[in-house]
Amino acid sequence: DRADLFQSAMSSTDRAIALNPYYSHAYNYKAILHAISYPRMDTDGVDKAIQSLQRAVGMDPFNFDARIGLAKMLERQGQDRK
């Protein structure tokens, strides 16, 4: 089911981060997983996505996927709090 696929994908991403904690794209992928888990599987998905994206951008300021994702998540967070 979806929850199992989500957990498997998250485990794979966590494993990639464990193998190379400086691989900013892994944090970007983790953020995508958090974002798609919101709100059904994780009500904190947007906040977790923002944290992962901030880490990715902090490691690699030229990771434009993470920069764009961070902008979108911050915008989404602002809309959800209205």
Side-chain angles (χ1 to χ4, degrees):
D1 78 328
R2 263 185 203 190
D4 291 336
L5 289 173
F6 173 78
Q7 288 304 323
S8 176
M10 190 60 76
S11 293
S12 295
T13 306
D14 287 339
R15 176 85 173 121
I17 291 168
L19 291 171
N20 184 356
Y22 303 103
Y23 182 51
S24 69
H25 294 281
Y27 289 96
N28 189 45
Y29 300 139
K30 188 171 186 164
I32 292 168
L33 291 171
H34 283 305
I36 63 173
S37 72
Y38 176 81
R40 274 192 245 156
M41 289 186 273
D42 187 356
T43 58
D44 295 326
V46 172
D47 293 332
K48 291 176 183 176
I50 289 170
Q51 290 173 354
S52 291
L53 290 164
Q54 286 172 332
R55 188 148 187 191
V57 170
M59 283 183 208
D60 180 5
F62 297 104
N63 183 338
F64 292 106
D65 290 334
R67 283 181 160 284
I68 291 168
L70 180 57
K72 288 181 179 181
M73 287 296 101
L74 289 170
E75 178 182 46
R76 185 175 181 178
Q77 183 183 53
Q79 290 172 355
D80 288 346
R81 292 194 176 160
K82 287 184 181 179

